[in-house]
Amino acid sequence: MMGLFSQAGSHIKRARGLSVDDRAPEDTEPDDTSILDENEGSVILSLISQLRVGMDLSKVTFPTFVLEPRSTLERITDFMSHPDLIFGAENCDDPEERFTRILQYYLAGWHIKPKGVKKPYNPVLGEFFRCRYDYPNGTQGFFVAEQVSHHPPISAFFYISPANRVCIVGELRPKSKFLGNSVSTTMEGENRITLMGVPDDGEYVVTMPNMYARGILFGKMVLELGDTCVVKNEKNRLFCDLEFKTKGFFSGTYNAIAGRVRRGNSDTGEVSGRWSHVMDFKSIKSGSKRVLFDAAKDGQNVAPKYVPDIEQQEPYESRRLWKDLTQAIEERNMERATEAKSAVEDAQRELRRKREESGEKFVPHYFERHDGRWEPKLKIPRDDSPEAIDAVQTWIWPPTTE
């Protein structure tokens, strides 16, 4: 879902057409590749020539033609796209079943991806994104994300659906490095999910896999999720070590996952499949197998989100802040896109300079740190009363909003 590059697979177009070597890597999808023209390829090569192995890429400015036309803060909402997988989990008497529902919610967020080599905008300090979900059953969900730190980059986020008894709080701290023929993005941070109808469960904590954009100097460029992430619920002693497998040089397949669910010291199930296709869970006790998520079958059933028109948004709200850049990208006007991107970044640098001169400290609007974790500045309601819903809406959209 998130990372330096949100999608993969690019190469420079040859003057006389494509050779066999220009084909996409096997096992990738058609939308996993894009062809850069010679000018775009030259820009990429020029950028790479300035990099050194091990270099931190947090301050590197990437060309606009690799940008996905939305902010990273909005991209976090990809994990809120299939709420039906988690709604009602509180009604499951078996804690292992509730844990499986959390796994479903988490794994269903990865299949959403743009076409080609794209990365979302890097949020500026104080930028925020907020939206509302209106669900078919008449209930609602509310989301807000804010860039609470720029160096290092930290995005804090909060989601709640009072009527469906689900609350999610988390933060992302991406760290990208140039590794030679690839770029790695370490996705630090976690999602903390609470099923408010079963408070004795405590939090379900989910970490993120790392991301690798490979083949940026030679070969074909492809994005892979790699390494191990953890899903855990300590109250019920339930854990899943989930491995996102990178493809071997001579064997393996793209987008594969494998994991084992255990309760205490005993294995209870196995997770397998491909995060871009179908993922299954097999019970060790009964031997039965069930589909956790089928991206081809259910991937289009994304919960729509309501975002106010740009004219109604505040200056640092993501879509309004980046509107000129987004419009230029959609019109494929890369020169104007570069100007729009530079205008936002230059204004941010000037604001930072003034803040340093005056000694003013930046204070996030929606979040604050407690014991090393970013938490919403809201007393989270534990009921689904109209008063609770109104309290959440008023906090996210204060009456003074323009």
Side-chain angles (χ1 to χ4, degrees):
M1 182 203 68
M2 290 153 286
L4 177 66
F5 287 103
S6 61
Q7 189 48 346
S10 85
H11 50 270
I12 300 171
K13 186 176 180 180
R14 300 176 186 270
R16 294 186 179 180
L18 299 177
S19 70
V20 172
D21 291 336
D22 287 318
R23 295 172 185 167
E26 294 181 3
D27 297 333
T28 58
E29 300 299 311
D31 283 354
D32 287 358
T33 63
S34 65
I35 300 173
L36 303 182
D37 63 30
E38 293 180 358
N39 290 334
E40 293 172 338
S42 297
V43 173
I44 288 289
L45 293 176
S46 175
L47 172 67
I48 290 174
S49 69
Q50 304 172 44
L51 305 179
R52 298 293 180 268
V53 173
M55 179 182 288
D56 181 357
L57 300 183
S58 63
K59 297 183 180 181
V60 174
T61 300
F62 284 86
T64 54
F65 59 78
V66 304
L67 295 178
E68 176 188 1
R70 60 173 174 165
S71 172
T72 293
L73 299 182
E74 180 172 356
R75 188 127 193 261
I76 296 172
T77 62
D78 288 355
F79 278 102
M80 317 301 165
S81 296
H82 300 282
D84 54 299
L85 298 176
I86 195 173
F87 289 171
E90 63 179 49
N91 298 321
C92 301
D93 294 331
D94 184 359
E96 292 183 20
E97 176 62 23
R98 295 196 296 273
F99 188 80
T100 302
R101 296 283 292 274
I102 298 294
L103 275 177
Q104 286 184 285
Y105 144 80
Y106 171 67
L107 292 172
W110 292 108
H111 75 96
I112 302 171
K113 51 193 177 183
K115 181 178 180 179
V117 182
K118 303 296 177 186
K119 66 177 294 293
Y121 311 150
N122 292 330
V124 301
L125 187 64
E127 177 185 340
F128 62 95
F129 177 83
R130 52 191 178 177
C131 67
R132 186 190 76 224
Y133 296 89
D134 297 325
Y135 300 123
N137 64 358
T139 63
Q140 293 180 314
F142 307 94
F143 175 88
V144 63
E146 182 178 14
Q147 193 70 6
V148 295
S149 174
H150 189 58
H151 292 304
I154 302 176
S155 305
F157 59 92
F158 169 71
Y159 167 89
I160 189 169
S161 180
N164 293 294
R165 318 294 284 139
V166 173
C167 175
I168 303 171
V169 181
E171 65 272 341
L172 294 176
R173 302 188 299 271
K175 295 182 179 179
S176 299
K177 285 188 177 181
F178 178 63
L179 301 178
N181 192 39
S182 64
V183 169
S184 73
T185 300
T186 302
M187 298 300 294
E188 297 182 356
E190 61 187 19
N191 295 358
R192 301 182 292 275
I193 305 156
T194 300
L195 302 178
M196 295 185 291
V198 277
D200 290 344
D201 278 4
E203 293 180 334
Y204 294 80
V205 179
V206 183
T207 63
M208 295 289 179
N210 298 324
M211 296 187 175
Y212 300 90
R214 306 189 188 280
I216 60 177
L217 291 180
F218 55 85
K220 301 300 174 289
M221 188 170 171
V222 62
L223 174 87
E224 293 190 276
L225 301 177
D227 307 316
T228 300
C229 67
V230 176
V231 182
K232 63 182 180 180
N233 177 243
E234 293 183 345
K235 286 291 186 70
N236 291 309
R237 301 186 305 121
L238 285 161
F239 306 88
C240 178
D241 298 313
L242 195 60
E243 181 185 3
F244 286 74
K245 296 185 176 183
T246 57
K247 186 179 184 299
F249 192 77
F250 295 107
S251 62
T253 186
Y254 285 105
N255 305 344
I257 63 167
R260 299 185 75 83
V261 178
R262 67 183 190 278
R263 190 168 191 179
N265 296 321
S266 301
D267 289 346
T268 61
E270 299 175 345
V271 178
S272 62
R274 297 173 66 186
W275 56 262
S276 56
H277 292 71
V278 179
M279 293 164 283
D280 300 307
F281 174 82
K282 182 179 179 180
S283 170
I284 291 179
K285 182 178 180 180
S286 67
S288 62
K289 196 172 185 180
R290 61 189 275 193
V291 174
L292 290 174
F293 189 73
D294 185 336
K297 179 182 177 182
D298 302 316
Q300 301 303 315
N301 301 326
V302 173
K305 53 182 176 283
Y306 167 76
V307 182
D309 293 337
I310 287 178
E311 294 76 15
Q312 299 176 308
Q313 295 183 17
E314 296 187 12
Y316 263 63
E317 207 154 348
S318 294
R319 291 190 181 181
R320 177 173 172 181
L321 179 69
W322 297 106
K323 64 181 177 64
D324 292 338
L325 173 58
T326 299
Q327 182 179 354
I329 290 175
E330 291 174 347
E331 294 175 352
R332 302 184 62 83
N333 187 333
M334 294 303 104
E335 182 176 350
R336 192 161 68 86
T338 300
E339 294 174 354
K341 181 171 180 286
S342 297
V344 173
E345 293 170 342
D346 290 346
Q348 181 69 193
R349 279 189 284 268
E350 177 63 17
L351 183 61
R352 184 165 59 247
R353 183 188 66 79
K354 291 181 178 179
R355 192 179 289 128
E356 290 173 352
E357 288 180 352
S358 66
E360 178 188 358
K361 289 189 64 176
F362 169 75
V363 178
H365 179 77
Y366 288 103
F367 297 88
E368 57 189 356
R369 290 193 72 181
H370 286 293
D371 299 326
R373 308 198 310 184
W374 288 94
E375 303 282 354
K377 297 179 182 180
L378 170 73
K379 184 178 180 180
I380 299 175
R382 298 295 174 177
D383 62 87
D384 59 352
S385 67
E387 291 77 16
I389 296 172
D390 183 65
V392 172
Q393 289 195 92
T394 302
W395 177 70
I396 296 179
W397 289 278
T400 55
T401 299
E402 295 179 358

